[in-house]
Amino acid sequence: MRVARQPRYQQIARLIADKIARNELKVGEKIYARSTLATTFGVSPETARKAISVLSDLGIVDPVHGSGVIVVSRQKAQEHLEQYQEVETIQDLQEQILESVVRQQSELANFSTILDKLVDQTEHFQKANPLTPIEFELVEQSPKLGKTLGEMNLWQNTGATIVAILQKEELIVSPGPYATINQGDTLYFVGASNTLQIIQNFFYTK
């Protein structure tokens, strides 16, 4: 579907210009009278008159009073068709852009729906399984590393209860307040749904 439909009289003017450009109607030749043109294309005489007026304004034909309509320029007919094709190309691009926007909006809406479901299911899972440990690996440097859990006041600052620490190849279960946290360690903890974000901010936000 076009962005904007071309008026009927302009469509007829283009069809006549196409015949002239292809030399089916030659320069100097008289073309249909308006009444014949109206009958040929199944339009009103007024619509046919407008089509001839368009071609006349473009210098393609010359309505001569009492003699009918004479073809005067094949070149201008060709130029008119070239301009029309450029307009059609622009309209095609507009249509493609609009279709792309509609598809993207639909995809974004679908993505948003899926994301909402994922968040809901994640929250439901965490509520249903509050003791399932969350894993957090300390891969970057942090000024808090090298301190014990007690020195950090980790539980007081984050609400996370550390249930295990993986240090190199050793898994320390139920570490006490004197367990030291180092870079490369993996913490296993339980807490609220937002505790992971709080832990990340605690270690990596100055």
Side-chain angles (χ1 to χ4, degrees):
M1 184 178 294
R2 294 291 179 199
V3 175
R5 187 176 180 182
Q6 194 178 42
R8 182 61 174 154
Y9 70 89
Q10 289 185 354
Q11 295 176 23
I12 295 171
R14 179 173 56 82
L15 291 173
I16 296 172
D18 182 63
K19 288 181 177 293
I20 296 171
R22 288 189 283 114
N23 214 29
E24 291 181 14
L25 292 171
K26 297 177 172 56
V27 173
E29 186 176 343
K30 183 186 295 185
I31 62 175
Y32 329 97
R34 289 169 189 163
S35 58
T36 304
L37 190 64
T39 302
T40 300
F41 290 100
V43 296
S44 67
E46 177 62 17
T47 299
R49 183 193 68 77
K50 287 182 178 181
I52 294 299
S53 294
V54 169
L55 297 173
S56 176
D57 291 342
L58 293 170
I60 298 173
V61 301
D62 183 17
V64 180
H65 183 68
S67 300
V69 180
I70 308 298
V71 177
V72 295
S73 177
R74 183 185 179 194
Q75 180 180 348
K76 289 184 178 179
Q78 292 171 333
E79 291 173 354
H80 170 62
L81 290 174
E82 289 172 0
Q83 291 178 344
Y84 173 80
Q85 288 171 352
E86 289 176 359
V87 170
E88 272 210 322
T89 299
I90 292 172
Q91 289 180 332
D92 286 338
L93 290 173
Q94 289 176 333
E95 178 183 351
Q96 291 173 26
I97 290 170
L98 289 176
E99 289 176 351
S100 177
V101 168
V102 170
R103 284 197 303 270
Q104 289 178 14
Q105 289 175 336
S106 176
E107 289 170 359
L108 284 173
N110 185 47
F111 174 77
S112 179
T113 300
I114 294 172
L115 184 60
D116 288 342
K117 289 181 179 178
L118 175 61
V119 171
D120 289 343
Q121 289 179 2
T122 300
E123 290 179 350
H124 174 74
F125 176 80
Q126 290 177 339
K127 289 177 181 177
N129 302 273
L131 298 181
T132 301
I134 301 170
E135 179 180 325
F136 178 64
E137 185 178 1
L138 294 156
V139 295
E140 300 177 16
Q141 284 286 355
S142 169
K144 297 183 175 66
L145 298 178
K147 297 181 180 180
T148 66
L149 294 176
E151 289 173 334
M152 294 181 193
N153 291 321
L154 188 65
W155 181 82
Q156 292 87 341
N157 286 311
T158 66
T161 299
I162 305 298
V163 295
I165 303 173
L166 179 62
Q167 293 183 331
K168 297 181 180 179
E169 299 299 324
E170 181 183 3
L171 182 65
I172 303 171
V173 180
S174 300
Y178 301 107
T180 301
I181 306 299
N182 300 302
Q183 185 178 6
D185 289 354
T186 299
L187 305 182
Y188 296 88
F189 63 89
V190 293
S193 59
N194 64 339
T195 304
L196 177 58
Q197 184 63 56
I198 295 173
I199 284 279
Q200 290 173 330
N201 293 339
F202 177 75
F203 280 100
Y204 296 124
T205 301
K206 294 182 180 179

